[in-house]
Amino acid sequence: QICLSLVKLLFYLAHSPLGSIVLLDFQPRQFVMVDGNLKVTDIDDASTEELSCKEDNDCTLDFPTKSFPLKCSVVGKCEGINEKKNLFNAYRYFFTYLLPHSAPPALRPLLSDILNATGDLRYGINETLRAFEKVLHLYKSGLYLQKRPLLLKDYISLKGFRTVEGGDYKCWPSYSHLGCLLSIHSAEEAAAICNSQLQCQSFIVTQHRTWTGRPLASFQSSWTDLIPDTNSVVYIKRSASSGERL
């Protein structure tokens, strides 16, 4: 969410009515999240000036660990230097820390492609935004889910119940530090996640949703303490419930 919001912001800056705008003091502390969107808190160091040049050798974009040769345009400006400077700063301050983590395994190669392409400045802001929107579409639609055996048939569902909240096993990346709370596309995906975790014996699909509209599921190591909750559904492994009366 943070990276996509940042890319949308940089897309606007690259195509603003004033021309391509560069953020000269590009640091994480210069941004805040407001209603799910990233905002710039200080635009005093924003500029529409692009580096003047006489030849291509005048257009090297230098960073502490990398340098990028750019072209000198016919009007004597370094082509795309403001856009590329913003994008590489987004890569080194945000993408490298946020993109490699917490995505479903099937989407990680696509995020790695974005990471590598922006790190080498092979993508401009237009291509980067398209790549992010493709990943978001796959994530929201569930198209990233690979065909696999249907596992939900191995679970008993109890509508209108949930388990007692409390300390349970933890997992990564959880929306709660107290347990294992993950976003899912469907109960079928939750069943696959539960089967992949040795501690998991049951999971609850709630009405709570993430910013992409995906429901949250809580994964549990037990299911015995059930309490009424009209907004929840408990799924219990048949193997865990064998010999027990529901």
Side-chain angles (χ1 to χ4, degrees), residues 165-182:
E165 294 182 5
D168 208 307
Y169 76 91
K170 301 176 182 179
C171 67
W172 174 261
S174 176
Y175 281 80
S176 170
H177 67 281
L178 298 176
C180 186
L181 185 67
L182 304 174

Side-chain angles (χ1 to χ4, degrees), residues 141-160:
S141 65
L143 291 173
Y144 68 91
L145 294 169
Q146 300 171 347
K147 291 184 178 180
R148 65 182 93 188
L150 298 178
L151 302 173
L152 199 59
K153 64 182 185 329
D154 298 328
Y155 289 77
I156 299 169
S157 64
L158 294 175
K159 295 182 179 180

Side-chain angles (χ1 to χ4, degrees), residues 191-224:
I193 293 173
C194 189
N195 275 25
S196 70
Q197 298 174 345
L198 294 177
Q199 305 99 314
C200 187
Q201 296 298 317
S202 67
F203 61 88
I204 310 156
V205 178
T206 72
Q207 296 299 309
H208 299 294
R209 295 182 178 270
T210 68
W211 66 281
T212 59
R214 288 162 56 98
L216 290 174
S218 177
F219 298 85
Q220 308 282 338
S221 60
S222 65
W223 58 271
T224 52

Side-chain angles (χ1 to χ4, degrees), residues 70-91:
L70 304 180
K71 296 290 185 181
C72 182
S73 71
V74 294
V75 296
K77 298 290 184 180
C78 296
E79 289 185 355
I81 191 168
N82 287 352
E83 172 187 330
K84 293 179 183 298
K85 188 171 184 178
N86 283 340
L87 190 55
F88 189 79
N89 277 328
Y91 158 80

Side-chain angles (χ1 to χ4, degrees), residues 32-86:
V32 293
M33 291 291 286
V34 180
D35 297 327
N37 295 306
L38 208 65
K39 305 286 186 180
V40 182
T41 61
D42 185 0
I43 59 172
D44 289 343
D45 293 316
S47 173
T48 58
E49 293 294 323
E50 292 193 307
L51 185 65
S52 298
C53 58
K54 294 182 178 180
E55 57 183 25
D56 290 349
N57 288 338
D58 297 329
C59 293
T60 300
L61 183 57
D62 289 316
F63 292 96
T65 58
K66 281 189 175 182
S67 296
F68 300 95
L70 304 180
K71 296 290 185 181
C72 182
S73 71
V74 294
V75 296
K77 298 290 184 180
C78 296
E79 289 185 355
I81 191 168
N82 287 352
E83 172 187 330
K84 293 179 183 298
K85 188 171 184 178
N86 283 340

Side-chain angles (χ1 to χ4, degrees), residues 2 5 8 19 23 46 56 83 85 100 104 113 120 124 134 143 156 158 161 189 221-222 229 233:
I2 294 172
S5 186
K8 289 180 177 179
L23 300 177
D56 290 349
E83 172 187 330
K85 188 171 184 178
D113 288 344
D120 294 334
K134 176 183 177 181
L143 291 173
I156 299 169
L158 294 175
F161 289 93
E189 184 182 15
S221 60
S222 65
D229 185 341
V233 181

